[in-house]
Amino acid sequence: MAESRTTHLLTTLSDDGLAFGCDYNPEQWDRDVWREDVRLMREAGVGLVAINIFGWSSINPASGVWDFSALDEVIELLHGAGIRLNLGTGTASPPPWLSTAHPEILPVAEDGTTRYPGGRQAFCPSSPVFRDYARELVTRVADRYGDHPAVALWHVSNELGCHNALCYCDESGRAFRTWLQDRYETIDALNAAWGTTFWSQRYGAWAEILPPRQTLSLRNPSHVLDFHRFSSDEQLGLYRAEARIIRERSAAPLTTNFMVTAHIRNLDYWSWAGDMDLIANDHYLDNRLDEPRRELSFAADLTRGLAQGDPWLLMETSTGAVNWQPYNLAKQPGQLLRNVASHIARGADGICFFQWRASAQGSEKFHSALVPHAGTDSAAWREVVELGEFLRLLDPLRGTRVRADTALLFSWESWWAIEGEGRPSEGLGYLDEVHSAHRAASDAGLTCDIVAPGADLSAYRFVIVPALHLIDDRAASVLSDFAAAGGTVLVTFSSGIVDADDRVRLGGYPGAFRDLLGVRVEEFAPLLPAQQVTLGSGAQARTWSERMTVADAEIIDHYVDGPAAGMPALTRRASGDGAAWYVSTHLDPEPYRDLVARIAAEAGAVRGPGHEGLEVVRRDGETHSYVIAINHTSIDAAVPANGRDLITGQTVSGSASLPAGAVRIIEEIR
Ligand code: GAL
């Protein structure tokens, strides 16, 4: 297998084993703690440390005043201990002196109110003043450390757009208009794309266009959609501006930490990924969700999709509780290892944490860390040391790749469009639909690649398209061509409804896929929150139903009750050697899993032994293949495998026992 550039870069982050790292904020501690920190990092096997993430006010304490002495000292301490640096550019949060001197850099919310300093990331992404100051900071950091031998990776800013993705200030308005002029060239083209004859919204000049601030009534959805696109591009612009400066001064690779996670949706990472030397993601278990660990698996698969199947780096996660959920749950014993193993199973070649030492002060003081408040005489620290040993044992996994012949289409743009104002039902959440599809596939034993609409599908047998509301003509034809060439697709309701301008595709839903599926939906018939419908097969469903007719497909199941009683619910259209399936409602987990299993079998997609409580993913190397099996249940289990258990060193023949809560990684000869 040819080693890709990213795979190679990841191997430079650690001498042996998978990279083990963390954010380190030495600014929060006295010098004597630094020495202890470095000693403990070595004890735990931490080899990659992110510093200077929030260092701006320390190295640049006043306008024109620079003091790198503390950072120099920390860098030498870490370097002296053989620890590599994931060096932050420090631009993530401007210091108070800057916002005091230039309050015009502060971000503005959609209601026109200013967001003040006192937290972090309090800047407008389009502010030329902010960008000037940030440029100077990056230039100085890169001049000083650009060729330092300890710098293994550049960490541009931090979670760009986490808090300030959407800024509605006048400066953002100016930048938005420039972006729109690039996109549409003429105001007539913009008026046509946005359908501004509606409600007398026609623009006569660019200067009349504002960011989509809060209005009395519903806003123009195309306007809002373009503002999302613009805002994602502005944040990417911040990355690019820093990257340009660093690349002139350093040969080390660059990245920034993505937030592929349930609670962030404002950045279209498909358009960012190509700028990264390697893909890095931050992921925290979100206990507000019904199934946090399922979301983890989905996010990890999506991160691998962004990395185009290459290995990637988990840049931040937590050993235990976070501090930003309403109930910040501690992890169960063994849960840390299972979570880490899920990321690795799905392509991570390095695991880093926020943060090294739990803060004593500041708003994150109750966030877990590698070194807890209790110190090293604690179960948490012992788990950290064990984790370091575990990661070292996984050296053979480096550079291996997850193989999947099932893909799931995912789109941030479509997410923005489907959850806009004035939609048929607030009960339809894009992530709910995507997560349910991913869950159904996982429970059916499938490993899914997550890909962008329009991506090459030739490597797949089966493609799942959950609630892909917005799709452009080209991406729609990639899917139709895939089916025509013998591929099998499953499209779910609310897909193919609008074009790239958010204009409804007329003639019956699901417009872009009507011919592919051979069905024609005349009317949506969404359900009330507590309402369920029953299908002829006995399956229960919720959220949505539709009144549809079938032109050229077989009716597999129909509605027994509800607003579409008697009408088709599930259809299949044969297409060459493949088939195009359509499901017009949100099936409950079991029937959804059974449906996906049935279609996968028909498509000839490879199904593994994984199911509800058992996560089993395979990573392939040139000579060996690795079965990563995680038992999330409290019942002992087993998985078929033949080879060597990387953790215990024991030989496995036929089947590997997988006790309740355990992780096994079995090396098999290919
Ligand atoms: C991330 C961020 C870190 C820290 C962490 C806490 O969003 O990058 O700096 O705040 O969350 O979970």
Side-chain angles (χ1 to χ4, degrees):
M1 188 181 311
E3 189 186 64
S4 75
R5 173 149 187 271
T6 312
T7 308
H8 169 72
L9 289 179
L10 274 152
T11 60
T12 65
L13 301 183
S14 133
D15 286 332
D16 63 339
L18 302 186
F20 181 21
C22 61
D23 272 30
Y24 181 36
N25 296 301
E27 313 84 24
Q28 298 177 15
W29 302 97
D30 294 338
R31 278 191 162 65
D32 49 343
V33 181
W34 300 351
R35 286 169 209 289
E36 168 78 354
D37 285 337
V38 170
R39 186 183 69 71
L40 290 175
M41 284 174 187
R42 290 180 59 111
E43 183 179 319
V46 166
L48 178 69
V49 165
I51 50 167
N52 195 40
I53 307 296
F54 294 103
W56 195 339
S57 72
S58 301
I59 58 184
N60 182 198
S63 187
V65 179
W66 296 90
D67 178 4
F68 285 95
S69 57
L71 188 55
D72 286 350
E73 201 178 323
V74 171
I75 286 181
E76 291 319 315
L77 263 176
L78 292 165
H79 181 45
I83 294 168
R84 292 166 169 83
L85 301 181
N86 173 13
L87 184 58
T89 56
T91 54
S93 209
W97 63 256
L98 177 49
S99 39
T100 305
H102 293 287
E104 71 274 21
I105 72 168
L106 295 176
V108 168
E110 59 186 329
D111 64 356
T113 55
T114 300
R115 290 295 173 265
Y116 289 97
R120 66 176 172 187
Q121 226 175 46
F123 62 88
C124 159
S126 304
S127 163
V129 175
F130 171 80
R131 286 181 179 223
D132 279 351
Y133 279 94
R135 197 174 304 124
E136 182 176 7
L137 173 62
V138 179
T139 306
R140 286 185 184 256
V141 172
D143 275 343
R144 194 168 189 94
Y145 305 115
D147 53 10
H148 194 289
V151 177
L153 185 62
W154 283 96
H155 183 301
V156 170
S157 191
N158 187 61
E159 292 191 340
L160 283 160
C162 176
H163 311 284
N164 67 351
L166 305 177
C167 174
Y168 297 80
C169 76
D170 289 340
E171 199 62 70
S172 297
R174 263 190 286 282
F176 182 39
R177 286 188 287 276
T178 305
W179 184 93
L180 290 169
Q181 287 181 45
D182 282 352
R183 184 176 174 89
Y184 295 108
E185 292 175 7
T186 69
I187 197 82
D188 287 347
L190 177 138
N191 279 312
W194 287 10
T196 54
T197 47
F198 178 82
W199 281 357
S200 184
Q201 292 170 349
R202 196 185 161 282
Y203 293 101
W206 297 103
E208 295 166 6
I209 303 171
L210 299 174
R213 294 183 184 137
Q214 234 168 48
T215 46
L216 291 170
S217 64
L218 303 179
R219 285 169 274 202
N220 181 313
S222 308
H223 182 180
V224 176
L225 177 62
D226 269 348
F227 190 67
H228 273 289
R229 291 179 171 131
F230 153 77
S231 299
S232 175
D233 286 356
E234 281 300 270
Q235 295 286 343
L236 176 58
L238 289 169
Y239 176 85
R240 286 183 173 158
E242 294 200 23
R244 255 191 308 276
I245 296 168
I246 298 165
R247 291 201 195 281
E248 282 165 8
R249 292 165 174 80
S250 175
L254 268 81
T255 192
T256 189
N257 39 352
F258 287 2
M259 297 164 286
V260 175
T261 166
H263 55 281
I264 301 279
R265 62 163 210 163
N266 288 327
L267 295 318
D268 178 0
Y269 288 130
W270 292 127
S271 66
W272 289 45
D275 279 63
M276 307 295 132
D277 290 334
L278 61 88
I279 297 293
N281 192 41
D282 291 356
H283 189 274
Y284 294 90
L285 267 197
D286 191 336
N287 289 307
R288 294 167 295 191
L289 303 172
D290 291 340
E291 299 192 280
R293 75 152 181 95
R294 307 278 200 153
E295 188 278 330
L296 183 164
S297 302
F298 169 77
D301 281 345
L302 176 50
T303 306
R304 184 179 72 256
L306 291 163
Q308 305 230 344
D310 277 339
W312 50 275
L313 182 66
L314 182 66
M315 188 76 102
E316 286 183 26
T317 188
S318 67
T319 52
V322 297
N323 67 310
W324 42 263
Q325 293 173 18
Y327 304 97
N328 293 298
L329 306 186
K331 290 195 180 177
Q332 301 289 331
Q335 193 182 5
L336 170 61
L337 191 73
R338 288 194 293 279
N339 291 164
V340 164
S342 296
H343 285 292
I344 293 169
R346 294 169 193 279
D349 262 11
I351 304 290
C352 307
F353 289 84
F354 176 85
Q355 63 177 328
W356 166 250
R357 188 180 276 279
S359 301
Q361 293 177 290
S363 60
E364 294 186 321
K365 62 184 182 296
F366 294 122
H367 194 291
S368 62
L370 295 179
V371 182
H373 287 156
T376 52
D377 184 11
S378 60
W381 172 254
R382 286 185 283 277
E383 255 194 275
V384 164
V385 175
E386 276 168 29
L387 181 69
E389 284 160 14
F390 171 80
L391 294 173
R392 256 193 312 281
L393 292 171
L394 302 190
D395 195 63
L397 275 179
R398 293 213 270 186
T400 60
R401 293 166 70 96
V402 175
R403 290 256 177 273
D405 59 10
T406 297
L408 186 152
L409 300 193
F410 177 84
S411 159
W412 277 277
E413 272 195 328
S414 188
W415 187 354
W416 301 330
I418 199 172
E419 293 189 1
E421 298 168 345
R423 57 194 157 126
S425 167
E426 284 189 7
L428 196 179
Y430 180 55
L431 272 196
D432 290 344
E433 297 312 316
V434 170
H435 286 163
S436 300
H438 187 259
R439 176 192 168 149
S442 303
D443 290 353
L446 296 165
T447 299
C448 289
D449 278 353
I450 316 255
V451 301
D456 177 12
L457 299 174
S458 55
Y460 304 107
R461 288 176 175 273
F462 179 21
V463 175
I464 305 174
V465 185
L468 189 64
H469 185 78
L470 176 152
I471 188 159
D472 62 36
D473 296 346
R474 194 191 69 81
S477 63
V478 171
L479 194 71
S480 305
D481 292 350
F482 169 75
T488 295
V489 302
L490 168 63
V491 176
T492 84
F493 65 93
S494 214
S495 292
I497 307 298
V498 298
D499 68 12
D501 294 331
D502 202 29
R503 182 187 293 108
V504 172
R505 294 172 177 278
L506 302 177
Y509 316 123
F513 302 130
R514 219 167 37 227
D515 294 343
L516 167 67
L517 300 167
V519 301
R520 185 161 167 274
V521 174
E522 294 182 19
E523 192 177 11
F524 300 140
L527 305 176
L528 287 166
Q531 197 177 359
Q532 284 215 315
V533 288
T534 307
L535 308 193
S537 58
Q540 300 278 304
R542 58 195 165 86
T543 311
W544 197 266
S545 68
E546 288 176 340
R547 297 184 171 141
M548 92 174 150
T549 57
V550 166
D552 172 25
E554 193 186 340
I555 298 171
I556 307 292
D557 210 345
H558 65 277
Y559 293 100
V560 170
D561 52 20
M567 296 186 176
L570 172 65
T571 60
R572 176 184 184 278
R573 176 176 165 263
S575 158
D577 290 341
W581 291 73
Y582 181 60
V583 60
S584 64
T585 184
H586 182 113
L587 292 172
D588 274 359
E590 275 190 27
Y592 205 171
R593 175 204 61 203
D594 293 346
L595 174 66
V596 169
R598 170 179 175 181
I599 302 175
E602 182 184 290
V606 173
R607 290 172 59 197
H611 57 70
E612 280 80 344
L614 210 63
E615 190 175 352
V616 184
V617 183
R618 189 178 278 278
R619 288 181 62 164
D620 286 348
E622 256 175 57
T623 53
H624 291 83
S625 175
Y626 299 85
V627 180
I628 298 131
I630 307 159
N631 186 348
H632 294 282
T633 75
S634 51
I635 300 165
D636 293 350
V639 285
N642 284 292
R644 185 177 67 97
D645 184 337
L646 288 187
I647 316 300
T648 62
Q650 284 167 357
T651 303
V652 171
S653 40
S655 136
S657 70
L658 192 58
V663 172
R664 289 272 181 276
I665 302 187
I666 317 292
E667 181 180 63
E668 297 188 327
I669 295 177
R670 284 189 78 182

